[in-house]
Each structure stands twice: as C-alpha cells, then as structure tokens.
C-alpha cells in the first residue's frame, strides 16, 4: 500500500502469480477460460480510479501471451488501452479468450473461415474511449493453416501468410497454399489477397485479388465449382484441354448468404502454356 502524506492509502502496488486459473470475468464467456499460470505486475490508484498493468503474462500448454495496459475512469466514462503480443499461438486458443462482445463480426469471420493453423508474431492493440466505437488492431502471420475465402469453394490447405485487422478493415494475404478442386490436382495460390474494407457493414463488400498456378484442368474445375458452374453451363468438360494455366485478377462479391452468380464480379486474365486438346476441334 502506498500512502499519502497523511497516511491514508492512495494506491496499491502488487505482483501476483496465479496457477491453475479458471476465470470468467463478468460472464464474458460461455465457458470459463483456463490457464496454467498467470503473472501480473499492477498498480491501482484509488481516487480517481486508475488501473495500470505493467505486465501480464499468461501461460497455457506451452504458449505464452504478454500484455500491458491501462484503464481509468474520467468525467465522460471509461478509457481503456491494452497491448498484447505472442510469439506463437494456436488459432483456437485465441478465439477461446476473445469475448463475443468485442468485434463480434470479426471474431465470427475468423472462427468460420480460419479453420486451423498456428499464428506467429501476434500483435494486438485495443483502445476504447467514451462515445466512440472501440478500436482494434490485430496483426499476425499464419502457417500450416486451413482457411477459405468463399464458403462454397474448396478449402485452402497448407496456407502461409499474414492477416491484418485495422479498425474495420480486414486483410488476409497468402504467401503459400493450395486449393484442390474435384479434378486436375492442386492449384497454387501464393500471392492471393482477400480484403474486407469495412466489416461493420452487414453483407459487407469483399474482394479477392487472385493469383493461381495449376494445370488447365484444375483451373477449369475450379471455375466449374459452385457457385460458378461456367463449364457446365457452356456444355463443356473441365478436361477439354491439357497444359498449364497462370491466372490473375479480381473477384468482388458481398459477404452474405446465397450470393447469386450475377452479383459476383470477375476481372480475370491468364496465360495458358503447353496446351493440347483433342476436344475443341474433333480429331485435331
């Protein structure tokens, strides 16, 4: 206890170590969060109230999250600032400690579309001030990931890249990864970027900056997948030609259920090399 001149405590300074933690502050979570160990260096000033966290170290199953922050109450209300970092975390464990009330749409998108993977160099900054929407910045690299951009398309596997959340903007870039359509083998998608400019919008517009390299059959098989069915509609087979296809361009669509193909906008171009077909011209 730190006392003022007249001897009455005006602040509390403490270092704490907790083990076998099970906590659910304010019933933020459906199930309590569990931790192997938590170490906390903190200071509380009583009047006006201010909480300062010099360092909070959370350990669970060999993974460590380090955070610092500050919270105080002013004339207009609460002000909160939290910074956190981790060298490596499993995506499931981040979601376990991410409250549903904090950026719920962002959390839901990550939960539904980053199916598994290890996150590296995680950096988080959270700020909240009165009369303003909370501001969240989250950056991390990912590896060994399974994720998807469009629900009806095959899942990206062996993904490696990075994700940035800056306020309402979401960006996921792939530096490596493959998609396997029904026919033609794997499609390499290194260089593909997925972006949601404003996640606050219901049915928000989204875009995929596509980069692929594959066999012609694999590229056509992906274009004939739900929701596109371009080859089937044209009465053609995805095996109409052999060769290699390098495709790039943009796909724009809205993040809503059952998007009609007419509302998915394409601007694609590609180079096809080593082409051979006995189907386009019969017996030739």
């Amino acid at each position: 206890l730190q006392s003022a001149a007249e001897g009455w405590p005006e602040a509390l300074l403490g270092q704490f170590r907790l083990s076998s933690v099970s906590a659910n502050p304010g019933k933020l979570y459906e199930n309590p969060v569990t931790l192997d160990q938590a170490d906390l260096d903190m200071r509380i000033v009583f009047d006006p109230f201010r909480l300062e966290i010099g360092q909070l170290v959370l350990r669970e199953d060999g993974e460590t999250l380090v955070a610092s922050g500050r919270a105080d109450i002013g004339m207009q209300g609460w002000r909160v600032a939290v910074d956190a970092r981790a060298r490596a975390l499993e995506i499931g464990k981040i979601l376990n400690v991410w409250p549903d009330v904090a950026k719920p749409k962002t959390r839901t998108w990550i939960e539904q579309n980053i199916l598994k993977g290890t996150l590296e160099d995680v950096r988080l900054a959270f700020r909240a001030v009165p009369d303003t929407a909370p501001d969240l910045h989250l950056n991390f690299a990912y590896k060994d990931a399974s994720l998807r951009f469009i629900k009806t398309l095959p899942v990206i596997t062996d993904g490696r890249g990075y994700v940035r959340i800056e306020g309402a903007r979401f960006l996921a870039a792939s530096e490596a990864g493959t998609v396997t359509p029904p026919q033609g083998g794997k499609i390499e998608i290194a260089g593909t970027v997925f972006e949601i400019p404003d996640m606050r919008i219901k049915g928000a517009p989204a875009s995929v900056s596509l980069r692929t390299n594959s066999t012609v059959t694999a590229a056509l098989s992906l274009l004939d997948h739900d929701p596109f069915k371009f080859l089937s509609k044209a009465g053609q087979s995805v095996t109409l030609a052999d060769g290699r296809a390098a495709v790039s361009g943009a796909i724009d669509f809205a993040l809503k259920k059952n998007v009609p193909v007419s509302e998915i906008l394409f601007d694609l171009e590609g180079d096809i090399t080593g082409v051979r077909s006995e189907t386009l011209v019969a017996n030739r």
Side-chain angles (χ1 to χ4, degrees):
L1 288 170
Q2 296 179 323
S3 301
E6 61 272 17
W8 191 255
E10 64 177 13
L12 169 68
L13 182 66
Q15 295 179 317
F16 303 91
R17 170 166 290 177
L18 307 176
S19 58
S20 302
V21 178
S22 177
N24 194 357
K27 295 186 178 180
L28 280 175
Y29 305 103
E30 183 176 342
N31 298 305
V33 173
T34 60
L35 298 166
D36 293 335
Q37 183 175 306
D39 296 307
L40 173 63
D41 298 340
M42 59 170 282
R43 181 173 183 256
I44 296 176
V45 178
F46 298 127
D47 188 16
F49 180 85
R50 183 171 74 251
L51 168 65
E52 299 170 350
I53 298 176
Q55 183 170 260
L56 171 64
V57 182
L58 306 177
R59 295 182 173 89
E60 169 66 15
D61 195 24
E63 297 178 340
T64 302
L65 175 70
V66 180
S68 61
R70 174 189 174 110
D72 61 63
I73 182 74
M75 296 298 293
Q76 288 76 38
W78 283 99
R79 295 177 297 180
V80 179
V82 177
D83 296 289
R85 67 186 188 276
R87 183 173 297 176
L89 292 172
E90 290 294 326
I91 181 63
K93 293 180 180 177
I94 286 187
L95 294 174
N96 286 342
V97 297
W98 185 330
D100 292 339
V101 296
K103 295 285 185 179
K105 292 182 180 179
T106 304
R107 185 191 186 284
T108 298
W109 192 94
I110 291 176
E111 183 178 31
Q112 292 179 348
N113 293 282
I114 303 181
L115 307 180
K116 72 169 187 176
T118 299
L119 310 187
E120 297 182 324
D121 299 325
V122 181
R123 295 288 186 274
L124 178 144
F126 177 80
R127 301 290 185 269
V129 296
D131 304 320
T132 303
D135 188 24
L136 173 70
H137 288 242
L138 175 64
N139 301 325
F140 58 83
Y142 63 86
K143 68 176 184 178
D144 303 325
S146 294
L147 63 157
R148 58 188 172 195
F149 294 147
I150 300 176
K151 287 185 178 181
T152 56
L153 293 182
V155 170
I156 297 169
T157 58
D158 300 321
R160 176 171 53 83
Y162 61 88
V163 168
R164 292 176 183 165
I165 298 173
E166 299 171 340
R169 178 175 177 257
F170 178 94
L171 183 144
S174 174
E175 297 171 338
T178 59
V179 170
T180 306
Q183 292 179 259
K186 294 181 178 180
I187 300 175
E188 301 290 337
I189 60 150
T192 295
V193 177
F194 173 71
E195 182 177 6
I196 308 171
D198 192 340
M199 294 181 291
R200 297 169 298 184
I201 301 173
K202 186 176 181 179
S207 65
V208 177
S209 178
L210 190 66
R211 299 288 184 276
T212 72
N213 194 302
S214 69
T215 65
V216 171
T217 299
L220 295 180
S221 182
L222 189 63
L223 291 174
D224 202 42
H225 204 282
D226 288 331
F228 312 132
K229 295 291 186 183
F230 293 134
L231 276 295
S232 298
K233 291 175 182 177
Q236 297 292 332
S237 169
V238 299
T239 58
L240 61 84
D242 295 323
R244 299 292 302 179
V247 179
S248 63
I251 304 174
D252 298 311
F253 56 95
L255 291 174
K256 59 184 182 181
K257 293 182 179 180
N258 303 319
V259 180
V261 175
S262 60
E263 295 183 13
I264 302 175
L265 306 179
F266 297 87
D267 183 6
L268 302 175
E269 62 182 16
D271 292 324
I272 302 175
T273 55
V275 183
R276 176 180 176 83
S277 174
E278 297 179 357
T279 303
L280 290 173
V281 179
N283 301 317
R284 293 286 187 269

